[in-house]
Amino acid sequence: MSIEVRNISKSFGSFRALDNVSLHVEQGELVSLLGPSGSGKTTLLRIIAGLETPDPSQASAVIFDGENLTTLSAKDRGVGFVFQHYALFRHMSVFENIAFGLRVRPKATRPSDDVIKAKVMELLRLIQLENLAERFPSQLSGGQRQRVALARALAIEPRILLLDEPFGALDAKVRQGLRRWLRRLHSEITVTTVLVTHDQDEALEVSDRIVVMNHGKIEQMGTPEEVFHKPANEFVMDFLGQVNLFHARVEGQSRKLMVRPFDLDIVTTKSSDSAVPAKITRINAAGSAVKVELTSEAGDAILVEIPHDKHRGLNLKVGDAVFVSPRESKVFFEDYAI
Ligand code: ADP
Ligand code: MG
């Protein structure tokens, strides 16, 4: 099922939470809405779900597979929803929690007990909790509870899965595991999925495409590689990872140079005109790359990431005077007024 969102705005009083947003999600895609807190992600997701109505406009529409659903209620849209704090029914076992959406169907469309059992067991296999069917939510870890919440949303065979920071309340290690798990699950079931997150690493790892949002508007839409390596603007570059900002004169014009820490190099002799003299203030070798903090002559703080073997070769020490040199191809320029 594809999703098309057309010219959607949403105001709360005089505050505009969404400002003329349009986007398209292909059948089977996993698309993330990524942006800082308050950027309108949840509001957009709730409008797709039918839990919130957009501002009235001739041009606006929410379309599933060519069918305009703008006036259809949430329960008729066939969406599965998982929130950050998804309250499972405490007095029901894992099995019954997952079965719930099928059990409450009107008699005419309710599956038989055998069919429900087979369906729930299949979902338990999918979330890798086959052995915990009889447990109660209080006997599960946070990560296990969110997997049950996902199975519960999937039980009704939703046309679309909407996830609002589903791992937001869990600690970093569990989140990482669940991200990979979600990606594998999605490739197995390929239900069209929209995931809301403020965590750029999560979005970069799990998404087919990322929609970067800020102040109720879309800043950029693209694959993880595109938004990371070809950011449309300063906001996207800054939001998707650490960035160094330099002010410089390039070909007579004032420019802002934005360079990621791993797109900078450290050299001990001035290799080119663009090499900036700087003094090392801190070296942190914990992690997959060595993080070297420096201060330029102009007083700018600079962060450079270099591979461990390069660091060993250079034999860098705090206090060393070196040169920082950008790898030309990856520099992001921005004109600015002075
Ligand atoms: P996000 O999910 O990106 O953090 P939200 O969509 O929840 O952002 O909210 C976007 C903005 O709209 C926020 O400033 C929020 O305070 C405001 N907002 C959201 N829902 C309501 C509401 N029901 N009433 C008033 N303001 C709201
Ligand atoms: Mg939100």
Side-chain angles (χ1 to χ4, degrees), residues 36-43 84 164-165 196-198:
S37 175
S39 56
K41 307 179 296 292
T42 294
T43 303
Q84 181 171 351
D164 194 353
E165 314 247 9
V196 161
T197 181
H198 67 271

Side-chain angles (χ1 to χ4, degrees), residues 321-333:
V322 293
F323 297 88
V324 173
S325 157
R327 290 167 229 247
E328 211 65 50
S329 61
K330 293 286 181 65
V331 176
F332 186 77
F333 291 100

Side-chain angles (χ1 to χ4, degrees), residues 10-13 15-18 33-46 52 164-165 196-198 213 216:
K10 177 70 183 176
S11 308
F12 296 105
F15 179 76
R16 216 174 162 100
L18 290 175
L33 306 180
L34 173 68
S37 175
S39 56
K41 307 179 296 292
T42 294
T43 303
L44 180 55
L45 202 71
R46 287 172 57 81
E52 196 84 74
D164 194 353
E165 314 247 9
V196 161
T197 181
H198 67 271
M213 295 183 65

Side-chain angles (χ1 to χ4, degrees), residues 234 246-249 252-257 333-338:
E234 192 178 330
F246 299 91
H247 295 94
R249 252 178 199 286
Q253 288 188 316
S254 296
R255 297 286 190 107
K256 250 191 260 184
L257 277 72
F333 291 100
E334 176 111 347
D335 284 307
Y336 74 102
I338 39 172

